[in-house]
Amino acid sequence: MTLDSATMQESLAAQSVTEQLLRVQGSVPRRSRFAGFFGLSPHGADSMSWYLGAKGEIVVGSILATLPPEWTALRAVPVGSSTAEIDHLVIGPGGIFTITTKHHPSNDIRVARDTLRVDGESVPYLHNAASEAERVTSLVRERMPLVAPVQPVIVFVDPRLLTIEQKPEQVKVLDADELRRWLVRLHPVLSAGEVQEVADLLDSPHVWHVLPDTTPDDARERFTALDTRARSAGIRRMLWVLFAAAGAIAAGYVVFRLIEAALATA
């Protein structure tokens, strides 16, 4: 994408994360046919976290795409340094929201007033989300001084367990399944004209100092190809587990019958 792009809405959900995934994955040797036959993952050790991150952002992007027409959702908005981005930036009657997506399918998440822990380990998600929202608030208020502050939101995709022990003061924490319902039920704080003005401001690529290196179509095609290989590998691994379980059951049955026959002739 270049600075001549028409709008930020043309960005792909998880575009910069996908670009980083593809860069890291580019150094991973292609799996052999033997490895592929047994369902070895195509991901390298360093690319799995990027893959999960991209998958999570894509899920949330799909949810936001179902919002009513008075809402605008921007994806992969670059902010701060060249490696920092807002996963999703949402503008609607209920306000302005930075959406930080986290994908922890095998982890327990616990949220307290000032801390967020993943499997007991404290992570800076709350602080980072609040900082992103503050940056966007400052940007918008340069043009619209009286607009309400931007609300930071952290959305977890398919967490094993999400426990809100205390609600954080600044940041809203949600399961992805709750996101759309929560947004559309918010009390309106922006008029239709204000929503349009903020959306026009933030939808312009000229507002952001750095943009993705590749086009959305290129990133999408390469990610889809990698995702297809990963899904196929996962299916093969599952089939091998089922075959192994069936074999163990069959072997156990044979042993049982042999023992039964031995006891009958004893």
Side-chain angles (χ1 to χ4, degrees):
M1 181 180 292
T2 69
L3 287 176
D4 294 326
S5 297
T7 66
M8 286 301 300
Q9 292 187 70
E10 295 177 4
S11 295
L12 174 70
Q15 184 163 342
S16 66
V17 177
T18 299
E19 289 171 355
Q20 182 62 28
L21 164 65
L22 296 173
R23 278 194 290 270
V24 173
Q25 188 64 26
S27 63
V28 178
R30 186 87 178 195
R31 302 305 188 197
S32 66
R33 289 187 177 182
F34 180 80
F37 179 74
F38 285 101
L40 184 65
S41 171
H43 298 294
D46 296 328
S47 63
M48 179 55 77
S49 62
W50 293 106
Y51 174 71
L52 289 176
K55 292 281 285 184
E57 289 188 38
I58 290 169
V59 168
V60 172
S62 298
I63 293 170
L64 295 175
T66 68
L67 285 170
E70 60 268 26
W71 290 81
T72 297
L74 310 178
R75 301 170 292 274
V77 178
V79 61
S81 70
S82 60
T83 59
E85 73 170 22
I86 299 170
D87 298 340
H88 302 274
L89 185 53
V90 180
I91 309 103
I96 311 167
F97 307 87
T98 53
I99 310 292
T100 300
T101 301
K102 297 298 178 184
H103 191 191
H104 290 286
S106 60
N107 303 110
D108 292 342
I109 315 298
R110 292 189 175 273
V111 183
R113 187 175 181 82
D114 300 312
T115 59
L116 193 153
R117 298 180 181 277
V118 177
D119 285 345
E121 181 179 352
S122 181
V123 291
Y125 293 169
L126 295 176
H127 171 77
N128 293 347
S131 296
E132 286 185 352
E134 289 170 3
R135 290 179 185 178
V136 181
T137 297
S138 297
L139 188 154
V140 174
R141 283 182 168 171
E142 289 177 2
R143 180 167 172 176
M144 303 174 65
L146 299 181
V147 75
V150 175
Q151 167 74 62
V153 182
I154 299 176
V155 175
F156 284 94
V157 177
D158 295 331
R160 183 170 65 186
L161 179 65
L162 174 59
T163 304
I164 310 294
E165 297 173 343
Q166 291 178 299
K167 293 182 179 180
E169 184 175 354
Q170 287 184 276
V171 183
K172 182 69 174 179
V173 181
L174 295 167
D175 187 291
D177 292 339
E178 304 172 312
L179 177 60
R180 186 187 188 280
R181 182 171 61 254
W182 178 74
L183 285 172
V184 299
R185 289 183 176 180
L186 289 170
H187 180 75
V189 297
L190 295 178
S191 67
E194 289 172 327
V195 169
Q196 189 61 55
E197 187 175 356
V198 174
D200 289 344
L201 170 66
L202 298 180
D203 198 20
S204 170
H206 300 281
V207 172
W208 313 104
H209 72 89
V210 62
L211 293 172
D213 298 328
T214 60
T215 65
D217 287 343
D218 178 55
R220 182 183 293 108
E221 289 173 4
R222 294 171 63 193
F223 177 82
T224 298
L226 176 61
D227 188 41
T228 299
R229 285 160 47 204
R231 288 173 177 269
S232 296
I235 291 172
R236 286 180 180 273
R237 289 195 302 274
M238 182 178 66
L239 289 174
W240 279 111
V241 169
L242 293 175
F243 288 154
I249 292 172
Y253 178 75
V254 170
V255 170
F256 172 77
R257 294 305 301 269
L258 289 175
I259 294 175
E260 187 180 47
L263 292 174
T265 58

